[in-house]
Amino acid sequence: MSTIFALSSGAGRAGVAVVRVSGPETERAVRRIAGDLPTPRRASLRRLRDRAGATIDHAFVLWFPAPGSFTGEDCAEFHTHGSRSVVAALFDALAEEGECRPAAPGEFARRAFVNGRADLIELESVADLIAAETQAQRRMALRQGEGGLRRLVEDWTQRLSLILAEAEADLDFSDEDDVVVDLASARGAAKALAADMRRGLAEAARAEAMREGYWVALVGPPNAGKSSLLNRLAGHEAAIVSDIPGTTRDTIEIKLDIDGTPVRVIDTAGLRDTQEPVERMGVERARAAARRADLTIWLALDAPPPDELEAGWRVASQRDRFGNVPLPTWAQAGVSIHAPETIDALLREIGRRAGAALHLDATLIANDRQRRLIDSAILHCESACAHRDHEVFAEDIRQARFELARVTGLVAATDVLDFVFARFCIGK
């Protein structure tokens, strides 16, 4: 197996760059570049040199001998100054060490999986943690990494094993008078397990939504102030604002972090009948965004939403223009970009709704791969209960257990691993 290296810290100029190395040539590379092998797991200051003996940098070097490393192989880290030239020179020195080569995305994590240092659930939680943009996403990733889903899947697998034992006993010892097998009980247990797994799947959509964010669509007639409100929420000019009706032709999206919850707000074209082809496309996209959104906010000066539009929240806009005039009867709230208290109230309401929709328990099915496998296990359990043939029952239970094994990676095809680890950045 080749030895791999990569920049594990952020790319570009920085105070410190961390270059990670893993594989059988690691020890030799460290000895040649750093002069000797540091004490395991202790940062040691060393002068790094290339093959010609020229100094690359003065850096901290850490040595992690196998199997006590992230990958389970000999590993090392070079903590250098973070200039591109230093990293490039260190890469050149590492590439000269025989079988050393740059790592592919997720290759360190993949080696950790292959060497039994972590299962797929743990490593997928690491990818989610790296990608987390809000506190809620961070907490969700940490809960996954702490083993909540793994323990749940292990419990389901254990229950399937007991059911399968009953079924196989019936097949193997059905002619023995002293062996009593209650296959009806096994069918009942399979049915109950399928119901438990379905309850687990009910959290999957909310977990995926937490990753993708809570979608809010700003919908209303032209010149209602949707783009101005979007810019006010974004804190910069994300959308063009003009008095000319129909300025917004396409959807424009911004990301917000409201009390740790990820929210995506979409500005849309003003809804009106138009014969102008491009604007008409924008209107259709606005309607599509309203259908797709978790919350559609109808924003208008004085016009209620049309009957065909399901507006989750109706807001009267540009309220600074109306003084103490009461809100229109159709409106639930008012907002003005010139009244900070109305913006704060808007954000609080969005945050409240997003938090309620995305509230997550400690144990979750966090991604589509896991959801599909657990759904397949449920279908096999339900199929088993529908068959009276004992051999078919046992085979369905075996298949259900096989699908759950794929969730943690106890059974995993190469193409599945390629898909999972492609999500990782280079250096992890």
Side-chain angles (χ1 to χ4, degrees), residues 22-50:
S22 180
E25 297 293 321
T26 302
E27 179 178 346
R28 188 173 74 171
V30 171
R31 288 185 182 279
R32 195 198 60 73
I33 294 172
D36 63 359
L37 206 63
T39 302
R41 286 171 290 280
R42 179 177 296 177
S44 303
L45 184 63
R46 294 288 186 273
R47 182 192 296 270
L48 309 185
R49 301 176 187 272
D50 60 19

Side-chain angles (χ1 to χ4, degrees), residues 163-194:
I163 295 168
L164 185 60
E166 288 279 348
E168 291 182 336
D170 180 70
L171 291 172
D172 294 340
F173 305 109
S174 58
D175 56 347
E176 300 289 338
D177 294 335
D178 58 341
V179 177
V180 179
V181 177
D182 184 6
L183 199 57
S185 175
R187 293 182 192 280
K191 183 177 180 180
L193 177 57

Side-chain angles (χ1 to χ4, degrees), residues 196-205 365 370-371 374-375 378:
D196 284 349
M197 288 192 286
R198 282 221 177 273
R199 280 189 287 272
L201 271 186
E203 295 292 338
I365 298 143
Q370 296 164 2
R371 182 188 62 78
I374 293 171
D375 188 52
I378 292 170

Side-chain angles (χ1 to χ4, degrees), residues 202-236:
E203 295 292 338
R206 289 200 289 168
E208 189 66 23
M210 176 61 77
R211 254 222 225 90
E212 296 300 320
Y214 184 78
W215 290 81
V216 177
L218 301 178
V219 180
N223 281 13
K226 299 184 296 298
S227 296
S228 296
L229 178 58
L230 185 87
N231 289 342
R232 179 68 172 76
L233 295 176
H236 63 271

Side-chain angles (χ1 to χ4, degrees), residues 313-317 319 327 330-335:
W313 199 22
R314 298 180 298 280
V315 179
S317 63
R319 292 306 297 169
L327 290 174
W330 56 266
Q332 297 167 283
V335 69

Side-chain angles (χ1 to χ4, degrees), residues 10-11 31 35 38 49-50 62 66 78 86 113-114 122 140 145 171 222 244 252 264 277 338 370 376 400 426:
R31 288 185 182 279
R49 301 176 187 272
D50 60 19
L62 290 96
F78 296 91
V86 169
F113 169 75
V114 170
E122 291 175 290
M140 186 181 79
L171 291 172
I244 302 172
I252 299 172
R264 295 170 182 250
H338 301 296
Q370 296 164 2
S376 179
I426 294 173

